[in-house]
Amino acid sequence: MDVVDVAFIQPIEHRPEPNLIVEAIEIPLIDLSPLLHPDDSTEAQRNELATKVGSACREWGFFHVINHGVPFDLQHRVEVAVRKFFGLPTVEKRKVQRDEVNPLGYYDTEYTKNIRDWKEVFDFMVKDPTVIPASHELHDNELQELRNKWPDYPLELREVCQEYARAVEKLSIKLLELVALSLGLQEKRLNGYFDHKNTSFIRLKHYPPCPAPHLALGVGRHKDGGALTILAQDDVGGLEVKRKIQGDWIRVNPIQGSFVINVGDIIQVWTNDKYESPEHRVMVNSDKDRFSIPFSLNPAHDVMIKPLDEFISTQNPSKYKEYKWGKFLKTRRLSNFKKLDVENLQIHHFKQSG
């Protein structure tokens, strides 16, 4: 019998069931063609897109986009470089390993909800350097400058990843504007939170074959802490989203050339729970490597996150206490780095009582 280290084993109630995969056929697919040539698109077309995005955010928190403007050739070049990097011997990858001071670079012992994930990752910031809090302690105002770590091989990894980062960041702002319109806000209402000081980052992920896919997960159940996530995944599949009403896990199958978009915790808080950040996880399999590349759209470190005034009223008071994004990010990063004795920080910790 194949076994895995006990650190990887999920609690019985959260273990995957590889033989009971439910395929998602109703997750929305949105064609962003009108955004490719904004001068030629009409207000009606943008409003129609916004309506579709709003419906997807309310019902699922997840949706696919096609004709998104990120060239297929660029997506392919990134995937080739990523496969080359993860194909290196572990000793070579660990030359750019992250640590508690700098959370960027390579890592293969990450935890989600204090259970080790069956994956290896490489993280880099979109803005280099990026400023974040030096400590997760609330009253420590010291800042630190994060700089990306790049391996010597493959030589093209740095350049192609930076080109890719610029392309998906541009797409993320277009999607953010559609989210704003779908909420009845001005199109650029949210843009200012994501200025040149933003803390957006990209994670390259590799899920090796697992001898016990019924016990472990590539990434345990979680919600994304940022505003929006743009995910590129290969054709292997493994991403699952938890349906809001039924509570069952649904497989988000890959669609070639598309991205999977999901709402993050920040938008849930901003909208005072009008849009919810969906819980999701990644299953692994016993015979195929899987690769994916999520981009997380995050604000500047000093942005205070709280429900927007537009979503607060006497009948619908604020459901959250405000929190500083940089401190939230720093705390989450620390909990990913090592197993803690307490629950990882979540937005429900900022829920108003009563």
Side-chain angles (χ1 to χ4, degrees):
M1 175 182 174
D2 288 317
V3 295
V4 295
D5 189 288
V6 65
F8 293 102
I9 297 177
Q10 293 285 325
I12 292 176
E13 66 271 22
H14 297 302
R15 288 178 192 171
E17 299 184 61
N19 298 322
L20 289 175
I21 294 174
V22 180
E23 306 287 352
I25 57 174
E26 62 266 60
I27 289 181
L29 174 65
I30 300 176
D31 186 341
L32 298 180
S33 295
L35 300 185
L36 295 179
H37 306 286
D39 293 339
D40 298 330
S41 64
T42 65
E43 183 178 354
Q45 287 176 313
R46 292 184 69 80
N47 288 337
E48 182 181 357
L49 280 179
T51 298
K52 291 178 180 178
V53 167
S55 176
C57 289
R58 282 190 305 275
E59 295 173 17
W60 283 93
F62 260 86
F63 54 97
H64 293 276
V65 294
I66 57 173
N67 297 319
H68 42 65
V70 179
F72 177 77
D73 171 68
L74 175 57
Q75 292 177 260
H76 176 69
R77 285 187 287 124
V78 170
E79 183 176 334
V80 169
V82 167
R83 288 175 179 270
K84 285 182 182 179
F85 172 73
F86 285 120
L88 291 172
T90 300
V91 66
E92 290 298 315
K93 290 180 284 194
R94 286 182 175 166
K95 289 180 179 179
V96 288
Q97 181 159 307
R98 67 179 282 193
D99 53 46
E100 286 195 62
V101 176
N102 186 347
L104 304 177
Y106 174 76
Y107 202 54
D108 61 356
T109 53
E110 188 166 72
Y111 290 82
T112 300
K113 296 189 183 296
N114 288 325
I115 305 294
R116 188 172 166 186
D117 295 330
W118 191 271
K119 70 173 189 286
E120 54 181 348
V121 304
F122 180 89
D123 290 346
F124 67 95
M125 307 304 292
V126 174
K127 306 298 182 187
D128 189 13
T130 293
V131 174
I132 67 167
S135 166
H136 68 285
E137 299 292 343
L138 291 179
H139 302 295
D140 186 341
N141 295 319
E142 185 180 352
L143 300 175
Q144 74 174 120
E145 195 174 72
L146 295 182
R147 292 187 177 274
N148 292 330
K149 302 176 181 179
W150 296 102
D152 294 330
Y153 178 89
L155 289 173
E156 69 271 20
L157 184 68
R158 177 175 184 167
E159 183 177 345
V160 74
C161 281
Q162 290 173 334
E163 182 183 353
Y164 181 79
R166 290 190 293 271
V168 290
E169 183 180 36
K170 183 178 179 181
L171 172 61
S172 72
I173 298 303
K174 291 179 179 178
L175 290 166
L176 187 73
E177 291 173 354
L178 290 176
V179 169
L181 286 174
S182 76
L183 290 163
L185 304 173
Q186 292 293 317
E187 185 176 45
K188 299 186 185 298
R189 169 68 172 88
L190 306 174
N191 294 28
Y193 297 106
F194 304 92
D195 61 12
H196 64 283
K197 298 188 298 180
N198 74 61
T199 57
S200 300
F201 68 90
I202 288 179
R203 164 163 284 191
L204 314 178
K205 292 184 176 182
H206 171 221
Y207 303 94
C210 176
H214 60 294
L215 298 177
L217 286 167
V219 184
R221 72 197 193 284
H222 68 286
K223 298 184 176 188
D224 292 347
L228 287 174
T229 300
I230 298 177
L231 175 74
Q233 57 174 337
D234 65 12
D235 60 358
V236 174
L239 173 65
E240 295 195 325
V241 59
K242 193 172 188 179
R243 267 199 293 210
K244 293 180 180 179
I245 298 175
Q246 293 91 334
D248 54 343
W249 290 100
I250 301 293
R251 175 65 57 93
V252 183
N253 285 325
I255 298 176
Q256 186 175 21
S258 74
F259 288 119
V260 178
I261 313 299
N262 70 271
V263 169
D265 288 344
I266 288 176
I267 286 181
Q268 177 168 339
V269 174
W270 275 345
T271 64
N272 212 23
D273 287 351
K274 185 178 180 72
Y275 291 170
E276 290 185 29
S277 174
E279 191 170 35
H280 50 288
R281 68 183 188 182
V282 176
M283 289 181 62
V284 287
N285 67 81
S286 59
D287 55 10
K288 290 184 179 180
D289 294 89
R290 178 176 180 264
F291 298 87
S292 70
I293 308 175
F295 162 92
S296 180
L297 177 65
N298 299 331
H301 74 87
D302 54 0
V303 169
M304 299 300 296
I305 308 298
K306 62 179 181 178
L308 300 176
D309 291 344
E310 291 91 335
F311 300 102
I312 300 173
S313 64
T314 304
Q315 294 75 29
N316 188 36
S318 174
K319 295 181 173 68
Y320 296 91
K321 294 174 284 189
E322 71 175 3
Y323 61 92
K324 183 174 282 190
W325 166 248
K327 293 295 186 182
F328 183 92
L329 176 64
K330 187 74 175 183
T331 306
R332 284 281 285 262
R333 285 284 186 162
L334 181 64
S335 67
N336 290 345
F337 185 76
K338 60 185 179 181
K339 186 171 182 177
L340 304 177
D341 295 326
V342 296
E343 181 186 9
N344 302 149
L345 186 65
Q346 309 290 336
I347 57 171
H348 70 70
H349 292 122
F350 299 96
K351 274 279 192 178
Q352 300 275 22
S353 58

